[in-house]
């Protein structure tokens, strides 16, 4: 009979991905509350942003789940970050996060660009820590589903 080795497997990459996706969502929810408490006019910008980026059709959800999120993580963390991390993990995380955020410039939303920097750094640290792309894909997926579908911040 085989014995199961639980060493270093207290939590699976999928479980950690779920936990980290929820944690990032909570960071964004707290950030929104902080901006409101500071008196910054974020609600109109947030409403416009949701109207621009929220999935509206079934195929949008399918593309988000099966193509966009896995593709982003494979490229930004799996390729870009890994390439620059050969010189320095911090450099890899920062360059990948900044380039990831630059891909959001087309939105003309400073809020989306800043959110992409925060999320890119978060997922970059997660990837540098565990070197597991499935973990980061699950985290990104859970975060987006919470943010765009389950508990939108508008």
């Amino acid at each position: 009979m085989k014995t199961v080795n639980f060493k270093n497997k207290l939590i699976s990459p999928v479980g950690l991905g779920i936990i980290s996706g929820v944690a990032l969502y909570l960071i964004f929810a707290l950030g929104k509350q902080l901006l409101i408490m500071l008196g910054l006019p974020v609600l109109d910008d947030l409403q416009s942003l949701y109207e621009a980026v929220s999935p509206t059709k079934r195929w949008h959800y399918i593309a988000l789940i099966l193509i966009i999120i896995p593709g982003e993580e494979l490229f930004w963390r799996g390729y870009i970050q890994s390439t620059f991390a050969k010189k320095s993990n911090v450099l890899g995380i920062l360059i990948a996060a900044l380039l990831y955020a630059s891909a959001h410039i087309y939105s003309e939303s400073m809020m989306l660009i800043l959110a992409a920097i925060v999320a890119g750094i978060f997922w970059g640290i997660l990837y540098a820590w565990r070197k597991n792309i499935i973990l980061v894909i699950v985290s990104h997926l859970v975060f987006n589903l919470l943010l765009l579908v389950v508990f939108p911040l508008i």
Side-chain angles (χ1 to χ4, degrees):
M1 175 183 258
K2 276 189 164 182
T3 60
V4 179
N5 181 3
F6 288 103
K7 185 178 180 184
N8 295 327
K9 293 187 181 187
L10 292 176
I11 190 160
S12 72
V14 171
L16 188 54
I18 292 168
I19 292 167
S20 63
V22 170
L24 184 58
Y25 172 81
L26 292 174
I27 290 168
F28 273 63
L30 290 171
K32 174 195 166 196
Q33 293 307 316
L34 178 63
L35 292 174
I36 290 171
M37 286 173 31
L38 292 173
L40 298 173
V42 297
L43 295 179
D44 288 341
D45 290 342
L46 203 51
Q47 179 67 39
S48 298
L49 185 55
Y50 267 93
E51 289 171 5
V53 301
S54 291
T56 57
K57 296 182 170 53
R58 183 176 294 159
W59 73 266
H60 293 166
Y61 292 97
I62 294 168
L64 184 68
I65 292 166
L66 298 178
I67 299 168
I68 296 169
I69 290 172
E72 284 183 351
E73 292 310 324
L74 286 166
F75 182 71
W76 297 115
R77 259 51 73 189
Y79 177 69
I80 298 295
Q81 181 174 326
S82 294
T83 299
F84 286 98
K86 290 175 184 169
K87 294 184 186 237
S88 159
N89 261 338
V90 172
L91 182 66
I93 292 167
L94 291 178
I95 288 175
L98 291 173
L99 290 174
Y100 173 66
S102 75
H104 295 81
I105 289 175
Y106 75 92
S107 71
E108 298 178 359
S109 169
M110 192 53 140
M111 188 178 293
L112 181 59
I113 295 165
L114 292 173
I117 291 171
V118 170
I121 290 171
F122 182 89
W123 290 318
I125 291 169
L126 200 58
Y127 184 69
W129 176 45
R130 289 297 178 120
K131 295 284 191 250
N132 188 309
I133 201 71
I134 299 299
L135 159 65
V136 184
I137 290 170
V138 171
S139 179
H140 194 152
L141 177 62
V142 168
F143 171 75
N144 275 31
L145 289 175
L146 288 171
L147 190 70
L148 298 174
V149 181
V150 181
F151 300 115
L153 295 177
I154 54 171

